[in-house]
């Protein structure tokens, strides 16, 4: 009798541990109605060094789905990256898998949240030591006290579906590096992030039933700030127009820190392993300028324009070099054209991008 009671207590303890682990993994809410599509919005400017972008998402409350605005959040400690949460279909319901902090980006359902989170991995920046380097191509950086680099990210998807699996959902599966990240130690959202979500939960303007998928506050520069000049509203969906995150206003240079991306270690490269479809192998090669511009020009006439038979009608005339010496010089179009040759490392290498 005593042994059976001990066994029951042991099974109960194991069950409680499993529930706790499941909760920490982000399985908090399940509903039978699919979440709305993601709204279109422009990213507010980064407020300072060490802030990481956390994209907006649809959460679920007593009154249905409500929008949690995207915002910049200070990382809990250097080296941590944010893996966004996502809705996943399973067992006849949509289950919410909450986001978390960790040393690597994990799986977030293949959802294209934009601004570096294009469905797999993170293209918005990376840590090097205690400093974060921001990819200014996909982030709105207009301050001078941060490290930046420019790396063009190619992504063809304009899908704004906000859930994985089920009818009409995405069908992404975790990559190997995302499975590895899932087994690492994770850290729950910060206190500011929790307050940010609770603030949106208590405001009826964020309910999908009220804003019809276009919240008046789609993103904000800092957590919990839902009013002021740093608040961004959702924009109309214009179909296959260029993504909003790639249409930032001009940004000032960053006082010498806008340098090519430093070489990363193997671990840092793993932190931000790009998806196969999000990068180009030859993006750092200079553009070809044509065959004649790619090599030094000589002073000899072009073979296709030098026609000796054209002068046979005047064989008895004085030779050209004796009559008019200046005509023996090469024609203007055959002379070297200064400043137009394409050499690696000169001003024509416009897009010096870091990795």
């Amino acid at each position: 009798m005593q042994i059976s009671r001990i066994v029951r207590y042991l099974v109960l303890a194991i069950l409680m541990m499993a529930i706790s682990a499941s909760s920490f993994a982000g399985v908090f809410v399940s509903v039978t109605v699919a979440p709305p599509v993601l709204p279109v919005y422009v990213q507010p400017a980064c407020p300072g060094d060490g802030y990481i972008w956390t994209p907006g998402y649809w959460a679920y409350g007593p009154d249905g789905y409500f929008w949690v605005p995207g915002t910049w959040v200070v990382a809990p400690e250097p080296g941590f990256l944010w893996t966004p949460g996502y809705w996943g279909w399973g067992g006849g319901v949509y289950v919410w898998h909450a986001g978390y902090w960790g040393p690597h980006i994990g799986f977030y359902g293949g959802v294209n949240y934009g601004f570096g989170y294009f469905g797999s991995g993170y293209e918005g920046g990376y840590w090097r030591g205690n400093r974060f380097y921001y990819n200014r191509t996909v982030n709105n950086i207009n301050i001078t006290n941060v490290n930046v680099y420019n790396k063009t990210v190619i992504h063809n998807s304009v899908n704004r579906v906000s859930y994985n699996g089920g009818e009409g959902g995405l069908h992404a599966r975790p990559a190997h590096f995302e499975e590895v990240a899932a087994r690492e130690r994770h850290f729950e959202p910060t206190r500011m992030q929790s307050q940010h979500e609770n603030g949106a939960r208590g405001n009826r303007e964020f309910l999908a039933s009220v804003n019809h998928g276009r919240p008046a506050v789609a993103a904000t520069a800092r957590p919990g700030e839902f009013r002021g000049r740093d608040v961004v509203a959702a924009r109309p969906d214009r179909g296959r127009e260029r993504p909003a995150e790639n249409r930032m206003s001009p940004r000032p240079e960053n006082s010498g820190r806008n340098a090519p991306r430093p070489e990363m270690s193997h671990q840092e490269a793993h932190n931000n392993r790009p998806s196969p479809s999000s990068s180009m192998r030859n993006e750092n090669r200079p553009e070809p300028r044509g065959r004649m511009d790619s090599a030094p020009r000589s002073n000899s006439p072009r073979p296709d324009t030098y026609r000796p038979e054209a002068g046979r009608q005047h064989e008895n005339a004085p030779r050209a070099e004796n009559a008019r010496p200046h005509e023996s010089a090469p024609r203007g179009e055959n002379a070297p054209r200064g400043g137009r040759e394409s050499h690696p490392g000169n001003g024509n290498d416009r897009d010096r991008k870091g990795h």
Side-chain angles (χ1 to χ4, degrees):
M1 187 72 178
Q2 178 113 11
I3 295 177
S4 62
R5 182 178 300 176
I6 293 175
V7 171
R8 285 200 302 269
Y9 286 150
L10 182 60
V11 171
L12 179 61
I14 294 174
L15 181 61
M16 293 297 294
M17 290 175 63
I19 294 174
S20 176
S22 177
S23 297
F24 184 74
V27 183
F28 291 101
V29 182
S30 62
V31 294
T32 58
V33 181
V37 298
L38 298 171
V40 178
Y41 59 93
V42 174
Q43 185 187 62
C46 179
D49 194 16
Y51 281 81
I52 307 295
W53 177 252
T54 61
Y57 57 93
W58 290 107
Y60 195 85
D63 297 320
Y65 285 105
F66 65 94
W67 178 250
V68 180
T71 189
W72 292 94
V73 178
V74 177
E77 62 180 67
F80 279 13
L81 298 169
W82 175 250
T83 297
Y86 71 97
W87 289 96
W89 172 263
V93 293
Y94 297 94
V95 180
W96 174 245
H97 302 267
Y100 56 85
W101 294 94
H104 302 99
I105 296 291
F107 182 65
Y108 52 93
V111 178
N112 183 0
Y113 286 109
F115 312 109
Y117 300 95
F118 298 124
S120 180
Y122 180 52
E123 299 288 347
Y126 68 97
W127 287 98
R128 187 171 183 84
N130 293 331
R131 302 301 299 271
F132 191 79
Y133 285 74
Y134 297 86
N135 184 0
R136 202 168 57 174
T137 304
V138 297
N139 285 312
N140 188 0
I141 308 295
N142 60 8
I143 51 180
T144 59
N145 62 339
V146 297
N147 295 289
V148 297
Y149 65 98
N150 293 305
K151 176 186 175 183
T152 301
V153 181
I154 305 300
H155 62 100
N156 298 322
S157 174
V158 293
N159 197 332
R160 297 190 292 116
V161 174
S162 61
Y163 60 94
N164 181 283
E167 184 178 357
L170 304 168
H171 298 287
R173 294 294 179 266
H176 176 69
F177 76 94
E178 293 169 324
E179 293 176 342
V180 173
R183 296 191 291 268
E184 295 176 331
R185 186 184 179 189
H186 299 159
F187 298 86
E188 61 186 4
T190 65
R191 180 176 59 87
M192 294 297 293
Q193 287 176 279
S194 299
Q195 293 177 353
H196 181 70
E197 179 176 319
N198 290 333
R201 184 192 307 270
N203 191 330
R204 293 190 59 82
E205 295 179 0
F206 291 106
L207 289 173
S209 59
V210 174
N211 57 50
H212 306 291
R214 286 180 54 188
V217 180
T220 181
R222 290 181 175 83
E225 295 184 0
F226 300 141
R227 283 176 173 74
R229 62 184 181 88
D230 294 328
V231 168
V232 176
R235 305 178 63 173
D237 179 15
R238 302 187 185 278
R240 293 183 175 271
E241 66 176 357
R242 208 175 157 193
E245 62 268 25
N246 292 333
R247 296 199 304 273
M248 302 300 178
S249 57
R251 310 179 184 95
E253 296 299 326
N254 279 264
S255 302
R257 292 191 178 185
N258 186 15
R261 179 175 174 176
E263 183 177 351
M264 293 188 295
S265 66
H266 177 74
Q267 179 177 357
E268 291 166 340
H270 177 66
N271 289 355
N272 300 281
R273 180 178 178 180
S275 59
S277 62
S278 64
S279 62
M280 299 179 62
R281 294 182 180 177
N282 300 324
E283 60 186 7
N284 289 328
R285 296 183 181 178
E287 295 182 13
R289 298 286 304 238
R291 174 180 294 178
M292 297 304 296
D293 288 341
S294 60
R297 298 176 180 272
S298 65
N299 292 331
S300 59
R302 297 182 181 178
D304 56 344
T305 59
Y306 180 59
R307 300 190 179 106
E309 58 268 75
R312 290 179 181 174
Q313 304 175 21
H314 308 282
E315 291 180 354
N316 297 326
R319 296 180 61 183
E321 58 269 26
N322 295 331
R324 301 177 67 180
H326 67 277
E327 290 184 359
S328 63
R331 296 174 60 186
E333 63 269 23
N334 293 330
R337 287 182 281 182
R340 296 191 57 186
E341 297 182 5
S342 176
H343 295 283
N346 67 4
N348 291 329
D349 193 5
R350 298 187 301 272
D351 299 326
R352 189 175 298 274
K353 304 163 190 166
H355 177 62

